[in-house]
Amino acid sequence: VGKDRVQLETGYTYIRDRSNGSRLSAHSFPETLLRVGLFAEWFELRFGQNFAREKTTLLDGSRETIRGAEDLYLGVKFALTEQQKLFPEMALVFQMTVPTGSRDLSSREVLPGINWLYGWDIVEGQLALGGSTQLNRVRGVMFYPMFDELGQSTEPLVGKHSYTEFAQSITVNYSLTKQLGLYTEWFAFFPHSSLDPD
């Protein structure tokens, strides 16, 4: 954001999912990201906080609700280069979440990551292309199959497992007026070792 500037970004996400007979309804808010420019035009501190509410309706009709604060996000962003012809504008973000969230939403460990950002102005002030390449440590829920002494499937054991996740995005930004713009984004996650070796 540049030296001596402060920017606050917020958002809201609603997720609705049906799979294997269960239904998930989730709200994510306010998705706050506070960006503070310090020391020089190329240095930025980043703080993020979010709250979530998830309601799952299981096959048997029972409901599970999880709500509370998610882990605190901390980051430092460095501007690396400005665009020069085909060479993109670039920045690097060193980031992590720290275990400050509610019991059901916290990873209970520090999860570090790195994000490489790059972009090009194709038509000055009207059309831009950008991308993001990330490598993050994440923690996911694992369902371990369980069987009784006769080999019949029983209720799975639920656990948590940390793994590395690669994320890639490509964004096209369109400026319609000086105050109004749109963007189209493709975003993909590629987990590595997300399945427990056992």
Side-chain angles (χ1 to χ4, degrees):
V1 294
K3 185 181 176 184
D4 299 328
R5 289 190 177 92
V6 176
Q7 180 169 306
L8 180 67
E9 301 175 7
T10 63
Y12 167 77
T13 302
Y14 173 69
I15 299 170
R16 183 180 161 146
D17 187 29
R18 292 173 185 240
S19 60
N20 300 325
S22 65
R23 295 187 314 268
L24 169 73
S25 173
H27 302 269
S28 173
F29 57 90
E31 299 178 349
T32 304
L33 178 63
L34 179 66
R35 303 170 60 186
V36 181
L38 293 176
F39 311 127
E41 292 294 320
W42 50 265
F43 184 85
E44 174 183 303
L45 283 178
R46 300 161 67 88
F47 305 92
Q49 183 61 66
N50 193 43
F51 296 87
R53 183 179 189 276
E54 298 178 7
K55 182 171 76 174
T56 305
T57 305
L58 303 173
L59 228 76
D60 61 6
S62 62
R63 292 183 179 167
E64 295 178 356
T65 302
I66 297 173
R67 72 185 79 171
E70 295 180 353
D71 289 341
L72 180 68
Y73 166 86
L74 301 173
V76 178
K77 184 176 184 180
F78 299 94
L80 300 177
T81 63
E82 292 183 5
Q83 180 181 347
Q84 293 185 11
K85 296 183 181 177
L86 293 178
F87 194 72
E89 175 182 34
M90 291 189 287
L92 200 58
V93 179
F94 294 97
Q95 57 195 14
M96 68 177 158
T97 59
V98 292
T100 58
S102 303
R103 184 176 61 86
D104 292 331
L105 294 169
S106 176
S107 65
R108 299 194 181 124
E109 65 181 276
V110 173
L111 298 173
I114 189 168
N115 186 3
W116 176 38
L117 304 160
Y118 37 90
W120 298 264
D121 278 330
I122 307 296
V123 178
E124 182 81 31
Q126 294 180 4
L127 180 66
L129 177 67
S132 166
T133 303
Q134 295 188 54
L135 191 62
N136 295 299
R137 193 80 178 145
V138 296
R139 190 163 172 88
V141 175
M142 299 295 301
F143 296 93
Y144 300 94
M146 299 299 289
F147 304 92
D148 63 18
E149 60 276 353
L150 299 174
Q152 300 296 317
S153 178
T154 64
E155 191 73 24
L157 179 67
V158 179
K160 289 204 171 186
H161 171 68
S162 296
Y163 57 93
T164 303
E165 185 172 71
F166 171 77
Q168 180 63 53
S169 75
I170 298 171
T171 306
V172 180
N173 299 290
Y174 324 89
S175 294
L176 303 177
T177 68
K178 286 186 177 182
Q179 288 83 24
L180 182 63
L182 297 173
Y183 70 91
T184 304
E185 182 175 38
W186 172 82
F187 209 106
F189 297 99
F190 303 94
H192 175 71
S193 301
S194 61
L195 297 177
D196 190 291
D198 295 330

